[in-house]
Amino acid sequence: MISERKHHILVIEDDESIAMLQRDYLEANGFKVSITSDGTQGLHKLEEEDFDLVLVDLMLPGLDGFELCRRIRREKEIPIIIVSAKREDIDQIRALGLGADDYVTKPFSPQQLVARVKSHIARYERLTNISNVSDDAMRVIHIHDIKIDCAARKVWCRGNQVALTNKEYELLVFLVNNPDVVFSKTELFDRVWDVNSYGDTSTVTVHINRIRDKIESDITQPQYIETVWGVGYRFRG
């Protein structure tokens, strides 16, 4: 659950009506909201103030959403949700690959957007609350040629460190912790993204493919993450 502290959300959106809609619904749910309509100004605000999550449009003056996402990820691990009218798979793949945690297409349900914001903040706080880290979260996992340091949130494969985004890491760890169990895309979305039926399960496929690109020697014959056709995915234990 989200704590009683009022979380601060930054909305970077150049369509004033959409920005106001996001602000109104977020404020009605107890969030503090700041808005900027320019990518460069948004980056400056992130450097000057502390935010708990950022909503980013892709088509922005100044820095576009892709470059903004790339620069945010250099310095911060806060959740990034892309909110864009661009519906093509390639745009979603690119945004997620640059470090976005989620991708919402316009037009969107304001209630579903709020649900995603709450979910991402709650999950981020659980992951970063060091005082409540369990012994299980402090362990080091070794399976095949993969090593995962759960405390440091770092992954190595065949001795080389692998750079994963937050969601790629969480998805990999979930699968590793449940070896040989087949999960559907819907189940993986519910477990890792934690937003129940609100999401687009194609996001799971994008993340699986990106993880494979980083850990598999041959993505046409995956050694670690297997596709069970018509069902879902499993990690080979």
Side-chain angles (χ1 to χ4, degrees):
M1 294 180 62
I2 293 179
S3 65
E4 294 181 358
R5 182 178 72 84
K6 183 169 285 192
H7 293 88
H8 196 181
I9 311 299
L10 177 61
V11 173
I12 309 178
E13 168 64 66
D14 64 339
D15 186 319
E16 184 178 0
S17 63
I18 293 177
M20 294 301 103
L21 178 66
Q22 293 175 349
R23 183 201 63 186
D24 291 347
Y25 273 85
L26 288 167
E27 288 184 345
N29 281 271
F31 294 99
K32 177 182 177 182
V33 181
S34 295
I35 296 174
T36 181
S37 61
D38 179 276
T40 303
Q41 293 174 5
L43 186 62
H44 290 160
K45 287 187 73 67
L46 284 162
E47 292 169 347
E48 295 168 357
E49 301 180 53
D50 290 327
F51 293 93
D52 297 288
L53 181 143
V54 56
L55 298 173
V56 180
D57 186 18
L58 289 181
M59 304 302 290
L60 292 167
L63 294 175
D64 68 22
F66 293 118
E67 182 61 22
L68 187 57
C69 190
R70 186 201 313 273
R71 296 198 189 188
I72 294 171
R73 271 294 167 259
R74 289 177 184 171
E75 304 295 333
K76 298 180 181 292
E77 292 296 326
I78 61 171
I80 301 171
I81 300 180
I82 301 296
V83 184
S84 175
K86 295 171 73 67
R87 308 178 69 90
E88 293 80 4
D89 287 346
I90 188 64
D91 295 310
Q92 298 188 34
I93 292 169
R94 183 182 177 192
L96 295 168
L98 290 171
D101 295 284
D102 206 348
Y103 195 107
V104 177
T105 55
K106 301 174 183 175
F108 56 87
S109 162
Q111 294 92 339
Q112 290 184 10
L113 181 64
V114 170
R116 292 193 188 202
V117 167
K118 289 181 177 180
S119 175
H120 281 290
I121 289 177
R123 180 173 291 274
Y124 179 70
E125 288 188 335
R126 288 197 298 270
L127 291 170
T128 55
N129 187 359
I130 303 302
S131 62
N132 291 328
V133 170
S134 65
D135 291 340
D136 189 58
M138 296 297 290
R139 67 194 177 107
V140 175
I141 302 170
H142 292 271
I143 185 165
H144 303 306
D145 292 329
I146 293 177
K147 172 186 172 183
I148 303 174
D149 185 334
C150 296
R153 292 173 60 81
K154 293 183 179 180
V155 177
W156 291 263
C157 186
R158 291 178 290 275
N160 298 313
Q161 187 170 345
V162 180
L164 300 177
T165 66
N166 285 332
K167 279 295 178 286
E168 289 168 3
Y169 172 85
E170 292 169 27
L171 180 56
L172 176 62
V173 170
F174 177 80
L175 289 169
V176 167
N177 280 327
N178 296 276
D180 300 318
V181 178
V182 180
F183 293 97
S184 70
K185 288 188 288 185
T186 299
E187 288 173 323
L188 289 172
F189 194 92
D190 290 349
R191 299 289 189 91
V192 177
W193 277 259
D194 198 23
V195 287
N196 300 314
S197 62
Y198 294 133
D200 180 355
T201 56
S202 64
T203 299
V204 174
T205 303
V206 171
H207 280 73
I208 289 288
N209 289 337
R210 291 194 61 81
I211 294 170
R212 282 175 170 164
D213 285 340
K214 296 176 181 180
I215 69 172
E216 300 285 1
S217 298
D218 181 357
I219 60 173
T220 65
Q221 295 181 322
Q223 175 186 355
Y224 301 112
I225 301 177
E226 179 183 13
T227 298
V228 181
W229 295 108
V231 184
Y233 303 99
R234 69 179 163 208
F235 189 91
R236 291 176 175 172

